[in-house]
Amino acid sequence: MTFDSHVFSVLTAAVQLVNRLTDGHLGGTVFVAPTGQAQVDAVADALSIDGRPRPAVTSAEAKQLAEFSARMRIVFEAVHAGDLDAAAREVNRMLLDTNARPQLDRGATPGWSLHFHGADDTLANGWSAGCAAGLALALGSTLAGRLGICAAPLCDRTFVDTSRNNQRRFCSPQCQSRVKAATHRSRHSPTI
C-alpha cells in the first residue's frame, strides 16, 4: 500500500508546516519557529509544494496554521513513541475542529479524486482540514509507521517515509551524513 498523490501532498504539507513552524532542533542546532513576516513567508513556502504557486498568506492565516502545526507535531511525536491511540485522539480532535469533509474534485488529469476540505474554504482552515484528513488516512491504515521524527541527535524534524523498505530514519540527507560521519569518527578515533 502506498500514499496516493493527494494524501502524499497533504502529508508533505503537514511535514513542511510542522518543520517550519514549531520550535525544536534542526540538524544539531536549536530551531526557533519564526514570527511575524518570517512566519507568513514560512507558511507560503511550506504550501508551495508539488509545483503549486506560492499562495498569498495573511498574518492571521499564518498564525492559525502555526497553532495547528503544533497539534500536528503531537501526532508525529505520538506515532514516534508508538502511542497510536494518542495520535488518533489528536487527529480526531483536529478533524472535528476543522469540520473536515470529503469531496470529489476534478483535477487536471481525467477523472475525479478525493480531497478533503474544511467547512469554509479559507486557506488556513482548508489546509488544516486536509492535513488532518491526510494524517487520519495514514493512521487508519498500515501506513502509520511511515510518519517519523528524525533519529539524528539534536534534530526533531518530521518526515513521511516513502522508501520501499520503510527504513527511513532521518529528516534529510544532511542529518544522515552527520550521523554517519560521527559514527565513522567514533570508530576511527584513537583510544587513550
Side-chain angles (χ1 to χ4, degrees), residues 18 22-24 70-84 86-87 147-149 156-158:
V18 169
T22 62
D23 292 337
R71 295 178 68 187
M72 290 190 290
R73 175 168 280 289
I74 292 167
V75 174
F76 280 92
E77 289 173 350
V79 169
H80 182 73
D83 192 350
L84 295 182
L147 305 177
I149 294 181
D156 62 1
R157 302 297 89 181
T158 61

Side-chain angles (χ1 to χ4, degrees), residues 83-177:
D83 192 350
L84 295 182
D85 291 343
R89 282 190 301 272
E90 184 61 31
V91 168
N92 282 336
R93 284 190 289 269
M94 291 188 306
L95 291 167
L96 285 171
D97 291 347
T98 62
N99 292 308
R101 58 177 170 72
Q103 179 174 311
L104 290 170
D105 292 331
R106 185 178 291 278
T109 59
W112 294 85
S113 58
L114 181 64
H115 291 179
F116 289 84
H117 298 272
D120 60 58
D121 283 335
T122 62
L123 180 125
N125 194 59
W127 276 103
S128 295
C131 289
L135 290 168
L137 290 168
L139 288 175
S141 72
T142 59
L143 300 171
R146 299 281 183 154
L147 305 177
I149 294 181
C150 189
L154 293 175
C155 189
D156 62 1
R157 302 297 89 181
T158 61
F159 62 87
V160 175
D161 183 358
T162 58
S163 68
R164 287 185 186 204
N165 60 3
N166 193 21
Q167 296 296 312
R168 183 171 173 184
R169 296 179 41 229
F170 304 100
C171 67
S172 66
Q174 293 81 6
C175 277
Q176 183 176 10
S177 294

Side-chain angles (χ1 to χ4, degrees), residues 19-92:
N19 288 347
R20 292 170 187 254
L21 300 173
T22 62
D23 292 337
H25 289 87
L26 171 64
T29 61
V30 173
F31 178 82
V32 178
T35 58
Q37 185 58 44
Q39 184 181 63
V40 171
D41 292 338
V43 168
D45 290 343
L47 299 181
S48 59
I49 54 174
D50 298 333
R52 285 185 171 91
R54 195 169 188 269
V57 179
T58 67
S59 58
E61 291 167 332
K63 185 175 187 233
Q64 184 179 346
L65 281 165
E67 291 168 359
F68 200 79
S69 295
R71 295 178 68 187
M72 290 190 290
R73 175 168 280 289
I74 292 167
V75 174
F76 280 92
E77 289 173 350
V79 169
H80 182 73
D83 192 350
L84 295 182
D85 291 343
R89 282 190 301 272
E90 184 61 31
V91 168
N92 282 336

